[in-house]
Amino acid sequence: MDTVLLIKAAIMGIVEGLTEFLPISSTGHLILAGSLLGFDDDKAKVFDIAIQTGAIFAVILVYWKKIRDTLVSLPHDGQAQQFALNVLIAFIPAVVLGLLFGKAIKAHLFTPVVVASTFIIGGFIILWAEKRQQRNPATTRIYAVEQMNALDALKVGLVQCLAMIPGTSRSGATIIGGMLLGLSRKAAIDFSFYLAIPTLIGAGVYSLYKERALLSMADVPLFGVGLLFSFISAWLCIRWLLRYIATHSFVVFAWYRIAFGIVVLATAWSGLVVWAE
């Protein structure tokens, strides 16, 4: 395996892990990073989806106690059953809409300019959501994921589908969408992480199966490096984020999105950077 290619895989894994659970769009960053690294062919697109599984292992590790307790008590505990049902309900819209529109979206929207534009729009939505919650704290009615009902879960699941548009951010859609739907910042983050487990594992397995003709055993080191670095960077990022949101809002991420999107658009239009389509 080419050493340079493995280095690119490591860089992409780090980008995935650091951005997957922040409201700044891992897909958007992977598209842009892949464009700069020249790592953007069909196999690279499968790689981008597959290494999300590494980030999910980090979620499972951080939330292992809750996951274990839920699985153990699932046969006899109503609260555990409702929690598991909520995650399933929230997961279903992404499956249905992904199968219906995923191919068309990938064909037409996975471009740097689209990513940059949704970065900027998403940044302003985060600013609005944070200001709304600050001015109207009474709109928050759910402070823990255990308080969610099936309708709450369905709404968050539908909002997650907005992340099919690259640059939107799955975490951003579910966290900010959850806050707008009445979840506290902590509850929205927790449910977003739990929902990521079936969503991203499902997307990774489906992508590997669908594009299996592109892959061979020679690709194992490439994918292994990406998964490893994705896992390590995601684990560090999740632990940091859970401490950060205890005393901070998401405003800094909103301004980051806006600034980053403007830079991408400016470099694309000026010709300073040739972003691959």
Side-chain angles (χ1 to χ4, degrees), residues 2 10 14 40 52-53 72 74 88 95 104 106 130 144 146 171 187 195 209 237 251 255-256:
D2 185 354
I14 292 170
D40 53 5
Q52 293 174 340
T53 307
V72 169
L74 196 58
L88 177 62
V95 175
K106 287 182 180 180
E130 286 286 3
E146 291 79 10
S171 293
L195 180 56
Y209 173 77
C237 183
V251 168
W255 288 116
Y256 168 81

Side-chain angles (χ1 to χ4, degrees), residues 55-67 193-194 231 234-240 242:
I56 286 305
F57 288 153
V59 171
I60 294 172
L61 180 61
V62 172
Y63 284 88
W64 174 244
K65 186 179 184 302
K66 169 69 174 177
I67 295 170
F193 284 176
Y194 292 128
F231 167 76
W235 181 75
L236 293 172
C237 183
I238 292 168
R239 288 172 60 86
W240 170 81
L242 292 175

Side-chain angles (χ1 to χ4, degrees), residues 35-36 262-276:
S35 179
L36 288 175
I262 290 173
V263 168
V264 173
L265 289 178
T267 55
W269 286 336
S270 67
L272 185 62
V273 177
V274 179
W275 299 99

Side-chain angles (χ1 to χ4, degrees), residues 28 32 36 111-117 119-120 257-271 273 275:
L32 298 176
L36 288 175
T111 67
V113 172
V114 170
V115 170
S117 301
F119 262 55
I120 295 169
R257 289 180 64 109
I258 293 168
F260 193 76
I262 290 173
V263 168
V264 173
L265 289 178
T267 55
W269 286 336
S270 67
V273 177
W275 299 99

Side-chain angles (χ1 to χ4, degrees), residues 69-147:
D69 292 347
T70 299
L71 292 175
V72 169
S73 57
L74 196 58
H76 55 79
D77 185 88
Q79 188 176 73
Q81 292 168 359
Q82 183 62 55
F83 171 73
L85 180 62
N86 285 347
V87 173
L88 177 62
I89 290 171
F91 170 60
I92 290 174
V95 175
V96 175
L97 295 183
L99 291 174
L100 289 175
F101 303 109
K103 186 175 181 179
I105 289 173
K106 287 182 180 180
H108 300 290
L109 299 183
F110 272 58
T111 67
V113 172
V114 170
V115 170
S117 301
T118 51
F119 262 55
I120 295 169
I121 294 170
F124 283 113
I125 291 175
I126 292 174
L127 291 176
W128 170 64
E130 286 286 3
K131 183 170 290 187
R132 177 179 180 270
Q133 190 171 79
Q134 183 180 17
R135 289 181 175 178
N136 304 288
T139 58
T140 301
R141 56 185 176 81
I142 297 171
Y143 294 90
V145 292
E146 291 79 10
Q147 297 175 319

Side-chain angles (χ1 to χ4, degrees), residues 9-22 24 26 29-30 48 51-52 54-56 58-59 171 193 226-239 241:
I11 293 172
M12 296 294 280
I14 292 170
V15 170
E16 160 62 25
L18 292 180
T19 58
E20 180 60 55
F21 302 109
L22 299 178
I24 56 175
S26 63
H29 280 81
L30 288 171
D48 290 350
I51 62 172
Q52 293 174 340
I56 286 305
V59 171
S171 293
F193 284 176
L227 285 167
L228 175 61
F229 279 88
S230 173
F231 167 76
I232 294 171
S233 54
W235 181 75
L236 293 172
C237 183
I238 292 168
R239 288 172 60 86
L241 180 62

